[in-house]
Structures are given as C-alpha cells and as structure tokens.
Amino acid sequence: MHRITLREISALTHDTNRLVFTRPEGYDFTPGQATDFALDQDGWREEKRPFTFTSQPDEPILEFTIKSYPDHDGVTKRIADLRPGDTVLIDEPWGAINDQGPGVFIAGGAGITPFIPILRRRARDNKLSGCTLIFSNRTERDIILREEWEGMPGLECIFTVTDENGATVPRQDITADFLKANVPDWSNNVYICGPPPMIEAVEKAVKSLGVSDEHIVTEEA
C-alpha cells in the first residue's frame, strides 16, 4: 500500500475530474493499467475502488481521471471533494488492457480511462494511423476529453449518445450494424471497456463481424 498526496484537481466535465498526485519512488505501471484506490480517511480506508492511471509511465506524477456519482455518499462523491494536500492510498498496479497495436477502441462512459494513456502515447509517437475511437455516453456533455480526441492527428473519432435527442452526435446504441457501417476494416485489434453489459454486447457484435478472441482486448482478458 502506498500513500500519495493530491497536488491538483480540476474539472473535465460536469461530473469528471482530473486528479494529479505525487508518485512513489520506484512505482511502475504500463499504459492501460489500474490500481485499487482508497480514501485516506477514517472509515474509508477499506473501501477500495479500481481506477486507471491516465498519466504516462515516464512522468513524475500519477494522474487519474475519475467520474463521480453524487447521487449517493460513496467513494467517487468524496473524491470530487478532495483538495490539494489530501492523501489517498493505492495498491500495486494491475490490469489486462494494454497497447497491443493499432485498432478500434470502443468505450462506454468512464470506460474511456484505460484508452487515455494508450492513445496519448500513440499520439506522442505519431502512431495513430489505423486507430479509431468509438465513444458512447449518455449525453453529449458526458464526453470526456472530446476536444483532445478530435485534435489527435490520425485518430478517427466516432461519438454516440444513448439518452439524449438533439445532440450534435447521433443517438445510437453500438450494434453490429452500426459498427459495420462506420468501420470498414476489422482486421486489427478491438479494445473494449465500459459497463459489463456494454462489454458483453459489443464483444458479441464484433465477433459477428469476424473478430477473433485473440484480437479482442478487455479487462476480462
């Protein structure tokens, strides 16, 4: 268990924050990995939640992008109230999602977080050719880092919403027909992250398009 100190917190959307922490010496991870994270407060130290690192392994800090759910008094609601100087506890890094080459990245809501460091690294290295991001959210204002995705040279971006009419992006579930119509080439890897029902449905859809198990990258891999 490592104790880390919050240095910065800033809003990315109405309910998502970027948090920057100190980084323990010798603490290493790979883009896409997560850790079990707990508030360093009485009554909360055993309430661990998984969050993905969104910083790069060669940066001197640890960054997290965390969506809060303020409708109940849980960990994410309290995370939004943290202030610089507060401390949290993290375990060792873990996770099955990592960069296995170019492909289609399909995310639902906060499931975008493992793809943030992977796509940022590819953007930095000019290796986004052949990469498509399909990002589904409930409403348009929920889209995390939209301007950053749209500004990445070589990254094809497709946004959808599920609970809103009249947005500038289509109201559309991620079905096999939708995927087939929007992505002509399914020969590369497919990365999937989001709520479990979405992962299951999307995995079934991409398999129907001919994607084999060995080319599907999810946290359950």
Side-chain angles (χ1 to χ4, degrees):
M1 185 73 72
H2 303 271
R3 179 174 280 106
I4 57 176
T5 303
L6 182 64
R7 290 171 49 176
E8 303 172 35
I9 181 169
S10 56
L12 295 178
T13 73
H14 65 104
D15 63 359
T16 301
N17 288 293
R18 171 182 180 263
L19 298 102
V20 177
F21 291 89
T22 56
R23 179 172 173 173
E25 185 175 353
Y27 190 92
D28 293 321
F29 61 95
T30 58
Q33 283 193 312
T35 186
D36 290 319
F37 177 116
L39 298 166
D40 190 17
Q41 300 171 11
D42 290 345
W44 291 90
R45 292 184 180 89
E46 301 304 315
E47 295 290 331
K48 297 180 181 180
R49 300 292 185 273
F51 294 116
T52 305
F53 304 105
T54 52
S55 48
Q56 296 294 326
D58 54 5
E59 292 183 283
I61 51 85
L62 294 178
E63 178 192 276
F64 296 89
T65 300
I66 299 178
K67 188 179 183 76
S68 292
Y69 301 89
D71 54 343
H72 65 281
D73 187 19
V75 173
T76 63
K77 179 180 180 180
R78 288 175 173 263
I79 286 173
D81 294 331
L82 291 175
R83 294 293 175 262
D86 290 342
T87 56
V88 303
L89 304 170
I90 59 171
D91 285 337
E92 296 305 315
W94 54 267
I97 295 179
N98 57 77
D99 190 348
Q100 299 185 27
V104 182
F105 296 78
I106 306 175
I112 191 67
T113 52
F115 304 154
I116 293 174
I118 293 174
L119 293 173
R120 281 176 173 169
R121 171 64 66 90
R122 286 191 158 268
R124 188 181 76 180
D125 297 342
N126 296 313
K127 292 182 177 179
L128 282 173
S129 177
C131 292
T132 298
L133 173 64
I134 300 175
F135 190 11
S136 175
N137 285 273
R138 290 184 176 180
T139 69
E140 192 169 7
R141 72 174 187 154
D142 294 319
I143 301 174
I144 299 168
L145 299 174
R146 179 176 181 174
E147 291 184 359
E148 182 173 349
W149 304 129
E150 291 177 329
M152 284 187 177
L155 180 66
E156 181 74 22
C157 294
I158 301 169
F159 302 113
T160 70
V161 295
T162 59
D163 296 2
E164 181 180 32
N165 293 316
T168 64
V169 298
R171 182 170 183 170
Q172 171 70 54
D173 292 330
I174 300 179
T175 63
D177 287 343
F178 175 78
L179 293 172
K180 184 177 181 180
N182 284 276
V183 181
D185 182 7
W186 290 94
S187 61
N188 288 325
N189 295 304
V190 178
Y191 302 79
I192 308 169
C193 191
M198 176 223 161
I199 294 175
E200 183 178 353
V202 172
E203 195 167 352
K204 182 178 179 180
V206 300
K207 286 180 179 179
S208 76
L209 298 174
V211 181
S212 58
D213 286 335
E214 58 265 31
H215 287 109
I216 298 175
V217 182
T218 74
E219 199 51 72
E220 300 169 338

